[in-house]
Amino acid sequence: MNFKKAPKHSILALAILATWIKTYITYQTAFDMKIENTMQQLILFINPLSFLLFIYGLSLFFKTAKARNRYIIITNIILAIVLYANVAVYRFFDDFITLPMLFQTSNFGDLGNSALSSMYFTDVFYFTDVILLILAVKFLPAAKEIFVVKPKMRRTYFVLSCAMLFLNLGLAETERPQLLTRSFDREILVKNIGTYNYHLYDIYIQSKSHAQRALADGSELTEVTNYVKSNQAKADDKMFGVAKDRNVIVISLESTQDFVINNEMNGQEITPFLNSLTKDKDTFYFDNFYHQTGLGKTSDAEFIVENSLFGTGRGAVFFTNSGNTYNSMAERLNGEGYYTSVLHSNNKSFWNRDMMYHAFDIKKFYDIDSFDVNDENSVNWGLKDIPFMEQSVDIMKTMPQPFYTRMLSLTNHYPFTSDEEDQFIEPYTSGDGTVNRYFQTVRYTDEAIKKLFADLKEKGLYDNSIIVMYGDHYGISENHNKAMEQYLGKEITPFETAKLQQVPFFVHIPNSGVGKVMHEVSGQMDIRPTLLHLLGVDTSNDLQLGADLFSKDHEDFVTFRDGRFVTDKLVYAGEVCYDNETGEKTDQAKCEPFIERANKKLEYSDQIINGDLLRFYDEKTGALKSNSEETK
């Protein structure tokens, strides 16, 4: 190579170098990725390079300096936007962008306050390379030089690009075997193949999943059906039907984590009413219960509760698969003579709920138009929880009985803002405003639940109902670990992060006298079979991955959407096996059988959803339909 002519390529070199360095700094500062050894640090450092060499290297095909510079700057701007978008999403969701997320446009208008709370003035850093390149194009003489790159030089350049890709993949596969075939955790993918290559991989996965439905047939259900049948938990004879013919009220407690239950903050009780229920003779409180949501958050929780299947790992299943056939809990209860509905004071299109509720065969969606919402009774995301509970009970009073209704609370939603008159306790005193406010909004939701119980009694609905409450997902993400360490008084390791995914789960059966604290390791997947069995509904033919929590056959094993899991003895998090009792690292071999089982559960759930396989299944008989029956 003629080094005297090297300056002609200085814009290309500058673009690659500036984007590479910025991306690596972003990895270290904006994403909370656990780096455990020198090899992982090396992989993290080199993983943007193969993509950047290739995408910027396409400028070598341009024959004019103007076209070349324009291409490099436009590419640089697009990459800056992609990287910053991932940073913003990571702050809010503690996760990375997927292709389906980009099509959730009906949600964008409702994300206002939360999105603004995730943006900072210092974010201009993510566009410094853009500014640098524009200045370089304007002032560097080499940027204006016209040159023609010989084919041999281009070939050498792109061979180098491919070599970097194979080096990256080889090191990643050594560090994380079966990375591209068995990984359910996007953070692991980004950490090993880089943000930009991850997005290419995501596009491939989305294309593959769309093809799955077109090519699917009922034969794929055979293995899944055999797995479900062999892992069923037989209903407990004493608990089966204990709530038969009662109204069913299921409440989603927005962003409520279990660490607030029976706990104090600066000497103030955080959830006094929920605390009292943990000791109530009519209440089962599960103190080892986990959310199992992914990117869909609240909507994922709804999906899991209705179907006892995982949401997809590529986005909100409410968007990606709203046209599927499902065997929801609402559909089952329709068959038992229940009037099924959802109460939620938000726009019906948010999270694509109007479409998905139709797929679930929910008879009525009481959306924002069913409530009296004004400036005085709303805050942040919409109607405050106390007026929501009051108005919901009035609506319930008009429903045919028995009814099954789900209620979605709102106030305890990021960024956890509230009006002064709704602050029943003082804020926490860390340096983190999000965590400080969280205690106040979760305390307000507790007061709203107290009001709900009182109104149900006053309106004559309480005695003949069963009231189920669950936390839908975490409220405090890993971005706020410093403040949480201050509150909890201990370091937050991957083990502690997994344990912090515990959310409250209550089953309140008035006048039953059968309540107690339950210690089973359990999750949201278990709600459907547990509740249907309490109502006396047989689920032996249902394709569900959860199990009845009252069954003697229930296993202490819960899988997270990203492949982590918890058993009564082990916790697998951050690709490390921990002892559940001590929190200390233990022999990795102990976790290996459960890793395989967790991945198998996720794969089966994905097969059902991506292939829309329930259209081939007759839930009444438990048999596969013929292709002719499916097309009717």
Side-chain angles (χ1 to χ4, degrees):
M1 181 183 295
N2 188 343
F3 288 97
K4 292 182 179 180
K5 295 184 179 180
K8 294 179 180 179
H9 306 292
S10 58
I11 295 299
L12 172 61
L14 180 62
I16 294 170
L17 188 62
T19 310
W20 182 16
I21 293 173
K22 181 189 71 173
T23 303
Y24 181 68
I25 293 173
T26 301
Y27 286 165
Q28 299 287 4
T29 58
F31 305 138
D32 186 24
M33 294 190 285
K34 306 294 185 296
I35 304 300
E36 299 173 352
N37 54 53
T38 304
M39 178 64 76
Q40 289 184 10
Q41 191 66 258
L42 174 63
I43 293 170
L44 192 71
F45 179 66
I46 68 170
N47 70 36
L49 191 52
S50 63
F51 177 85
L52 296 178
L53 284 169
F54 175 81
I55 199 71
Y56 283 124
L58 294 177
S59 66
L60 295 175
F61 289 94
F62 290 92
K63 296 182 179 179
T64 68
K66 184 177 181 181
R68 174 199 65 199
N69 295 339
R70 183 184 294 122
Y71 170 79
I72 289 176
I73 289 176
I74 290 173
T75 301
N76 182 246
I77 291 171
I78 292 172
L79 294 182
I81 292 171
V82 167
L83 187 64
Y84 179 63
N86 276 285
V87 171
V89 166
Y90 194 89
R91 288 170 181 168
F92 187 68
F93 289 103
D94 204 30
D95 211 328
F96 298 91
I97 292 175
T98 64
L99 192 61
M101 184 186 290
L102 299 179
F103 294 97
Q104 296 170 197
T105 53
S106 61
N107 278 7
F108 292 168
D110 293 277
L111 290 173
N113 289 341
S114 297
L116 289 173
S117 298
S118 299
M119 298 174 68
Y120 311 118
F121 176 75
T122 52
D123 289 349
V124 70
F125 160 77
Y126 299 103
F127 298 91
T128 51
D129 56 330
V130 176
I131 299 169
L132 183 63
L133 271 180
I134 291 173
L135 292 174
V137 166
K138 184 166 182 164
F139 294 110
L140 281 182
K144 299 176 176 60
E145 290 187 40
I146 299 174
F147 61 90
V148 177
V149 180
K150 294 180 180 179
K152 183 178 180 181
M153 178 183 174
R154 280 201 299 260
R155 282 196 297 271
T156 302
Y157 177 91
F158 284 106
V159 166
L160 173 63
S161 174
C162 291
M164 286 302 305
L165 176 62
F166 288 123
L167 174 63
N168 182 184
L169 292 177
L171 293 176
E173 185 68 19
T174 301
E175 184 67 24
R176 171 75 183 197
Q178 297 181 299
L179 172 69
L180 300 181
T181 57
R182 298 299 298 274
S183 179
F184 296 100
D185 187 340
R186 276 174 293 279
E187 182 174 302
I188 291 174
L189 286 168
V190 171
K191 188 166 68 173
N192 283 280
I193 65 175
T195 309
Y196 312 113
N197 284 329
Y198 153 72
H199 285 301
L200 295 178
Y201 176 74
D202 181 51
I203 291 170
Y204 162 74
I205 292 297
Q206 309 314 322
S207 303
K208 181 181 176 183
S209 66
H210 284 299
Q212 272 185 268
R213 188 188 190 282
L215 300 174
D217 60 58
S219 63
E220 298 176 50
L221 264 180
T222 303
E223 184 179 346
V224 181
T225 303
N226 291 338
Y227 173 85
V228 171
K229 299 290 185 185
S230 63
N231 286 277
Q232 277 189 346
K234 184 179 180 297
D236 181 80
D237 292 335
K238 292 181 180 178
M239 295 303 296
F240 187 82
V242 73
K244 188 174 178 59
D245 297 328
R246 287 184 182 236
N247 299 319
V248 182
I249 303 169
V250 178
I251 306 156
S252 171
L253 302 174
E254 173 64 44
S255 302
T256 304
Q257 292 175 244
D258 198 61
F259 74 84
V260 301
I261 305 297
N262 289 322
N263 220 334
E264 293 184 347
M265 184 274 296
N266 291 342
Q268 304 168 92
E269 201 171 6
I270 305 167
T271 55
F273 182 72
L274 292 178
N275 294 351
S276 69
L277 287 181
T278 66
K279 307 170 184 68
D280 186 274
K281 63 180 179 60
D282 296 329
T283 303
F284 291 97
Y285 164 56
F286 295 80
D287 65 359
N288 211 354
F289 183 88
Y290 293 82
H291 83 85
Q292 295 172 281
T293 66
L295 278 172
K297 301 304 180 195
T298 300
S299 68
D300 270 10
E302 292 186 74
F303 181 83
I304 295 167
V305 168
E306 285 288 343
N307 299 282
S308 192
L309 297 170
F310 291 98
T312 66
R314 53 198 175 92
V317 66
F318 269 45
F319 280 94
T320 60
N321 298 88
S322 61
N324 278 18
T325 297
Y326 295 106
N327 180 22
S328 68
M329 182 154 58
E331 181 185 330
R332 291 304 313 274
L333 291 177
N334 284 334
E336 298 293 323
Y338 276 78
Y339 174 77
T340 57
S341 65
V342 173
L343 295 154
H344 185 39
S345 58
N346 206 330
N347 299 323
K348 65 180 180 181
S349 62
F350 193 65
W351 283 121
N352 204 33
R353 284 191 171 99
D354 52 347
M355 300 294 292
M356 198 55 145
Y357 289 171
H358 177 73
F360 290 166
D361 201 16
I362 291 169
K363 297 305 180 186
K364 176 69 175 178
F365 179 18
Y366 297 92
D367 66 353
I368 192 169
D369 293 333
S370 301
F371 295 86
D372 176 20
V373 183
N374 53 58
D375 291 341
E376 285 71 36
N377 65 10
S378 60
V379 69
N380 195 19
W381 280 69
L383 188 61
K384 298 177 184 179
D385 285 351
I386 290 179
F388 170 65
M389 300 298 175
E390 293 171 337
Q391 294 183 39
S392 292
V393 174
D394 289 336
I395 293 173
M396 285 183 220
K397 190 65 179 173
T398 69
M399 294 179 185
Q401 297 189 41
F403 60 75
Y404 159 62
T405 193
R406 287 195 289 104
M407 304 172 64
L408 305 177
S409 64
L410 270 176
T411 304
N412 190 44
H413 196 295
Y414 181 86
F416 312 115
T417 55
S418 59
D419 293 329
E420 187 175 351
E421 65 268 21
D422 301 320
Q423 297 170 359
F424 296 96
I425 58 175
E426 295 297 316
Y428 188 48
T429 52
S430 73
D432 189 321
T434 297
V435 175
N436 295 348
R437 296 187 300 270
Y438 177 79
F439 290 96
Q440 293 182 306
T441 52
V442 78
R443 173 67 180 85
Y444 175 82
T445 295
D446 179 79
E447 199 69 20
I449 298 299
K450 179 181 178 181
K451 177 63 175 171
L452 171 69
F453 273 63
D455 286 357
L456 288 172
K457 292 176 182 178
E458 182 184 336
K459 298 295 172 64
L461 294 171
Y462 175 79
D463 290 327
N464 193 39
S465 295
I466 175 173
I467 304 167
V468 176
M469 296 178 286
Y470 68 91
D472 59 352
H473 54 78
Y474 65 79
I476 306 299
S477 74
E478 294 179 59
N479 297 318
H480 306 280
N481 276 357
K482 185 176 180 181
M484 285 301 294
E485 286 176 344
Q486 179 180 330
Y487 174 73
L488 297 172
K490 57 185 173 183
E491 179 187 0
I492 298 182
T493 62
F495 168 83
E496 293 294 344
T497 297
K499 299 291 282 185
L500 279 171
Q501 305 316 302
Q502 289 181 356
V503 294
F505 180 49
F506 293 88
V507 177
H508 181 74
I509 313 173
N511 309 311
S512 64
V514 294
K516 63 177 181 178
V517 177
M518 305 280 283
H519 305 300
E520 283 77 3
V521 175
S522 50
Q524 291 168 335
M525 304 277 281
D526 300 318
I527 293 178
R528 183 187 191 276
T530 301
L531 183 51
L532 287 176
H533 285 178
L534 289 174
L535 297 173
V537 179
D538 179 31
T539 65
S540 57
N541 286 331
D542 292 6
L543 287 186
Q544 52 188 3
L545 295 178
D548 183 351
L549 293 176
F550 296 106
S551 171
K552 295 180 178 62
D553 299 327
H554 179 270
E555 182 184 14
D556 287 327
F557 176 48
V558 63
T559 302
F560 296 179
R561 176 59 261 192
D562 59 10
R564 290 177 294 172
F565 66 77
V566 177
T567 75
D568 53 340
K569 294 181 173 60
L570 301 168
V571 172
Y572 180 70
E575 302 182 86
V576 176
C577 193
Y578 295 90
D579 184 286
N580 196 353
E581 184 175 345
T582 65
E584 299 296 324
K585 294 180 182 180
T586 188
D587 183 3
Q588 193 80 358
K590 294 180 180 178
C591 282
E592 290 298 333
F594 294 100
I595 294 173
E596 184 66 28
R597 290 178 57 196
N599 287 338
K600 185 62 68 177
K601 268 194 172 186
L602 291 165
E603 287 173 3
Y604 283 147
S605 182
D606 286 348
Q607 284 178 27
I608 291 172
I609 295 169
N610 293 335
D612 191 12
L613 297 184
L614 290 178
R615 61 191 158 126
F616 303 110
Y617 186 74
D618 187 340
E619 66 271 12
K620 293 180 180 178
T621 64
L624 299 182
K625 296 177 181 178
S626 65
N627 288 338
S628 59
E629 287 179 300
E630 186 275 324
T631 56
K632 286 180 180 178

